[in-house]
Amino acid sequence: MAINKNSNLYIIIYTIVMVVIVGALLAFLATSLKPQQEANVLNEQKVSIMKAFGEAELNFDDVVTMGRITDGQFVAVEEGDVAAIFALLGNRKALAEAENELPIFQLDKDGVTKYVLPIVGKGLWGDIWGYVALQQVEGNIVITGIVMDHAGETPGLGAEIATEGVQKLFEGKKLYDAEGQFAVRMQKGGAQNEYQVDAITGGTKTSDGVNAMLATSIGKYESFLRGAEAEVEADTECCGECCAEEANVELNNEEE
Amino acid sequence: MKLSKNFTNPLAANNPVIVQILGICSALAVTVKLEPALVMGLSVTFVTAFSNLVMSLLRNGLPSRIRIIVQLVVIATLVIVVDQFLRAYMYDVSKQLSVYVGLIITNCIVMGRVEAFALGNKPWDSFVDGLANGLGYAFILVLVAFFRELFGSGTLFGFDVLARFGYTNNALMLFPPMALIIIGCIIWVHRSINKDLQEK
């Protein structure tokens, strides 16, 4: 008896067998390639952070101290907790909602301490995210580097935030103005002062998104950043005292 | 004789991109640089070759009422295989290709060859046909990407070529319309060589 290939039973069995085979094949493939794919994502996060530091040639694992900002204090992360930090970086929604225990990366090089914070926000069409590197300079906080990426901003307009040309504009911009207000922003019509960056022509909504992203994401670290600022001032005072003491010692020596 | 003609025909005289004008969408999108264009071309070649092979093997037991569904399942599976491998072993390229790997499923060349050839021919012939059509597509992609990367970025496969001669990059080459114009020029050259393709 020849099988009727157009009978319903044949078609149903055919479909079931096909789906089971294909499903098993794809499940096997996805599971076996997953570790490699996750390693790629992790590596990309590390490379982006090093790019924000402006030290792309250094190896993340060798030089960067990972930490969390808990109640305004830097707490170094323990070995077993590293994966949790990167998982949080990979989960933009959770990162945007995090209020405490915020991930932060510290790099000490040539006597200068820089911090990198993750930033997340919304552009015109979808998520925008990145990393910003900060450093204390003369009682203010200065952006030393930024990397940004986007899910679906308009190519040639908003998508320009992912280009080096735009990201370079942020370097050296101060976070806080003379009144201590958060002032760094992309300014439509061109940068007027040391807090402003040229906005993207035709990408106003994305530029606004970047402003909101910087304000909220960096704002969460404010207590820590302000603390760091104060610390520097305290350091200088201490140094002043040291100098005075030294001067006294010298005077004493002369007297002798 | 027939087999070798099966192989050479899609590469030149009956090229899927410049004669049948199929697969233009991805040809515009992924030809800014040579590397992604080459990877895309090879990915499509893999999918056309193996979807033709698998469908040709299945053709005798295939219920004709769900023919298209089965084709889609086979093609989609192969595309997911390619996508997963690129993500694991060529992460940078897979990021540049982004959605276009997934969109191989909708590439007319793939389903066109399965419908037109694999369902009526033996497995080996079908495999060769799919391979040749994929390579014909890849060849045009690489050719377009060659001109776009050379004149748009002054590089080839990321290596400086024109920059050392003081060439200023022409950003116009990086925009999608230039891919269309270059394909147009290739079609022009191709038709002036193969006079039988010219419409009377």
Side-chain angles (χ1 to χ4, degrees):
Chain A
M1 195 189 83
I3 304 167
N4 176 8
K5 281 191 284 178
N6 280 319
S7 74
N8 288 344
L9 184 66
Y10 181 81
I11 289 178
I12 290 169
I13 294 173
Y14 194 99
T15 324
I16 292 172
V17 171
M18 177 179 73
V19 168
V20 168
I21 293 174
V22 167
L25 182 79
L26 290 182
F28 170 74
L29 190 76
T31 350
S32 48
L33 290 177
K34 202 163 189 208
Q36 183 64 40
Q37 292 171 353
E38 281 173 352
N40 287 335
V41 174
L42 181 65
N43 186 47
E44 197 203 11
Q45 289 171 336
K46 290 179 177 176
V47 168
S48 300
I49 292 168
M50 292 319 289
K51 257 198 207 155
F53 274 127
E55 306 282 355
E57 66 285 354
L58 293 182
N59 185 357
F60 179 92
D61 297 318
D62 297 342
V63 291
V64 174
T65 315
M66 293 172 62
R68 283 199 181 95
I69 300 301
T70 310
D71 301 325
Q73 295 297 315
F74 184 95
V75 182
V77 168
E78 283 161 30
E79 195 84 349
D81 233 8
V82 170
I85 293 256
F86 282 110
L88 182 61
L89 294 183
N91 183 347
R92 290 195 289 274
K93 193 162 180 284
L95 190 61
E97 285 165 2
E99 290 297 335
N100 207 352
E101 305 205 331
L102 307 158
I104 189 164
F105 304 89
Q106 182 186 342
L107 175 74
D108 298 292
K109 200 185 171 226
D110 307 329
V112 175
T113 303
K114 291 184 190 173
Y115 294 100
V116 159
L117 334 173
I119 45 179
V120 276
K122 296 256 179 248
L124 173 59
W125 301 115
D127 287 352
I128 51 177
W129 64 91
Y131 297 95
V132 58
L134 304 172
Q135 185 192 338
Q136 306 138 10
V137 177
E138 292 160 5
N140 206 327
I141 310 276
V142 170
I143 295 178
T144 63
I146 191 167
V147 288
M148 289 184 282
D149 208 347
H150 64 93
E153 298 307 296
T154 318
L157 302 175
E160 293 293 300
I161 60 164
T163 61
E164 222 165 82
V166 170
Q167 293 170 8
K168 272 239 169 324
L169 297 176
F170 282 87
E171 288 175 17
K173 297 294 172 185
K174 293 178 179 169
L175 286 194
Y176 303 111
D177 63 14
E179 280 89 52
Q181 294 297 311
F182 189 86
V184 72
R185 54 179 281 113
M186 297 188 93
Q187 181 67 34
K188 199 175 173 180
Q192 310 285 333
N193 52 41
E194 55 199 351
Y195 319 109
Q196 295 179 346
V197 178
D198 295 346
I200 299 160
T201 313
T204 309
K205 288 281 175 196
T206 308
S207 303
D208 290 348
V210 169
N211 292 340
M213 167 168 80
L214 291 174
T216 39
S217 298
I218 298 178
K220 288 194 233 170
Y221 292 83
E222 193 165 320
S223 58
F224 168 72
L225 292 172
R226 298 275 191 192
E229 217 178 285
E231 220 170 78
V232 169
E233 279 164 17
D235 275 358
T236 22
E237 276 167 28
C238 167
C239 191
E241 279 171 25
C242 299
C243 293
E245 271 173 29
E246 272 170 24
N248 282 339
V249 170
E250 271 175 33
L251 282 174
N252 291 341
N253 284 346
E254 272 177 24
E255 277 172 18
E256 279 174 332
Chain B
M1 177 59 204
K2 187 170 161 276
L3 195 66
S4 68
K5 196 154 175 272
N6 266 349
F7 187 73
T8 53
N9 218 16
L11 290 180
N14 198 17
N15 187 289
V17 183
I18 59 174
V19 179
Q20 299 167 28
I21 320 291
L22 298 175
I24 295 288
C25 160
S26 50
L28 302 187
V30 300
T31 51
V32 173
K33 293 256 155 64
L34 266 171
E35 195 188 7
L38 184 66
V39 173
M40 181 71 180
L42 294 178
S43 304
V44 170
T45 306
F46 172 84
V47 174
T48 50
F50 282 93
S51 63
N52 263 14
L53 177 67
V54 173
M55 288 315 297
S56 179
L57 288 169
L58 292 178
R59 73 187 190 283
N60 290 326
L62 186 67
S64 59
R65 277 202 282 161
I66 56 164
R67 188 180 82 244
I68 303 282
I69 298 172
V70 176
Q71 289 171 17
L72 274 177
V73 170
V74 169
I75 293 167
T77 308
L78 288 165
V79 170
I80 295 171
V81 169
V82 170
D83 191 31
Q84 294 288 321
F85 267 97
L86 288 181
R87 269 172 214 226
Y89 297 108
M90 302 185 84
Y91 187 65
D92 288 341
V93 179
S94 93
K95 268 186 69 187
Q96 288 178 45
L97 291 174
S98 66
V99 296
Y100 291 98
V101 177
L103 286 177
I104 295 175
I105 297 172
T106 62
N107 193 318
C108 314
I109 300 169
V110 184
M111 214 157 161
R113 290 329 289 172
V114 170
E115 270 288 290
F117 197 92
L119 291 180
N121 286 281
K122 294 214 172 74
W124 176 242
D125 289 339
S126 303
F127 181 76
V128 170
D129 178 79
L131 192 70
N133 274 283
L135 289 175
Y137 168 86
F139 174 65
I140 299 299
L141 242 64
V142 169
L143 197 61
V144 174
F146 173 83
F147 288 114
R148 289 182 75 189
E149 184 173 348
L150 186 64
F151 296 112
S153 314
T155 58
L156 288 175
F157 282 110
F159 294 107
D160 279 339
V161 177
L162 286 182
R164 64 187 63 181
F165 302 116
Y167 175 78
T168 309
N169 295 336
N170 184 351
L172 193 62
M173 296 298 283
L174 301 177
F175 290 108
M178 273 322 281
L180 204 58
I181 291 170
I182 294 171
I183 290 180
C185 294
I186 294 172
I187 294 175
W188 178 24
V189 171
H190 186 250
R191 290 200 171 200
S192 58
I193 297 169
N194 299 286
K195 298 226 183 305
D196 54 317
L197 288 173
Q198 296 173 8
E199 286 90 2
K200 293 274 150 43

